[in-house]
Amino acid sequence: MRNLKRALSLALAFVMVMGLMIVGTSAKSYTDADKIDNQVAVEILGEIGVMIGNDDGSFAPDRDVTRAEMAVLITRILYGNNLNVDQFKDMNTFTDVPDWAEGFVNLCASLDIIAGRGNGIFDPDATVTSAEAALMLSRALGFQEQCRVRQRLGSGCYEARHPGRHHRRRHGPAGQRWSGP
């Protein structure tokens, strides 16, 4: 349950950052809604099609989120619920991904959002850890590329925001040194 709460919290934070806060006039209802701790987050993610629940109408908040399901969540956060992921099924990135998740996993892998365990194994049924979920969402937000830029350039915050411009030091108020354009 802690995993699901963390995944929900990270997913909601991601949605807020992306500016996708679309609150419908009626909340999506699940047969086990009384068991959901973060009802507002689940309602918002349900309304925008990120988390649609199970076929039986339940949400199952006590169930852990798998690595394959996390790929589905990230894809829906980035592209909505109407993206045809079948176009990514033939990429054959991993050998152990079930058919229903193959397009989602291959798309996320092609964008360097997710990675396998090695030797063509993704381990789709394993519970996604909080660290894996945070890393996947960070990469989806583009933070991985910023880290690469910073590593190449050194201290890099200025350089990452202004590629191709030289880093200069200027004196600020009271003789303080600061970075600027």
Side-chain angles (χ1 to χ4, degrees), residues 3-174:
N3 237 357
L4 182 60
K5 287 181 183 179
R6 287 180 181 155
L8 283 174
S9 297
L10 288 170
L12 183 59
F14 184 84
V15 169
M16 292 171 66
V17 168
M18 297 292 291
L20 296 175
M21 291 295 297
I22 303 169
V23 180
T25 55
S26 64
K28 184 164 181 71
S29 60
Y30 297 101
T31 57
D32 55 355
D34 57 328
K35 297 178 184 175
I36 300 172
D37 290 335
N38 300 321
Q39 288 192 11
V40 174
V42 172
E43 289 172 3
I44 291 170
L45 293 170
E47 286 295 321
I48 61 175
V50 172
M51 298 185 101
I52 57 174
N54 299 317
D55 292 336
D56 63 358
S58 68
F59 184 74
D62 294 329
R63 195 174 57 75
D64 290 332
V65 176
T66 66
R67 289 171 47 85
E69 291 168 338
M70 192 68 190
V72 173
L73 291 173
I74 290 172
T75 301
R76 288 181 178 161
I77 288 170
L78 292 175
Y79 300 105
N81 200 17
N82 296 323
L83 177 69
N84 179 11
V85 294
D86 290 340
Q87 60 189 324
F88 303 103
K89 281 188 173 186
D90 295 333
M91 294 174 71
N92 298 323
T93 307
F94 303 105
T95 59
D96 61 340
V97 178
D99 189 57
W100 65 267
E102 194 171 16
F104 296 101
V105 171
N106 287 340
L107 173 60
C108 287
S110 72
L111 297 173
D112 290 329
I113 293 172
I114 60 171
R117 305 274 196 216
N119 297 326
I121 303 297
F122 178 67
D123 200 11
D125 296 323
T127 299
V128 68
T129 65
S130 298
E132 288 174 330
L135 181 61
M136 291 175 191
L137 289 170
S138 296
R139 287 178 176 171
L141 283 170
F143 288 115
Q144 185 66 23
E145 184 57 33
Q146 288 181 355
C147 290
R148 287 186 194 129
V149 169
R150 287 181 185 162
Q151 287 172 349
R152 282 195 304 261
L153 297 174
S155 63
C157 189
Y158 177 82
E159 290 90 344
R161 283 182 285 162
H162 304 285
R165 294 173 90 182
H166 294 288
H167 182 71
R168 294 182 295 214
R169 294 235 179 235
R170 293 187 183 168
H171 289 283

Side-chain angles (χ1 to χ4, degrees), residues 170-181:
R170 293 187 183 168
H171 289 283
Q176 296 173 350
R177 296 181 69 93
W178 59 278
S179 307

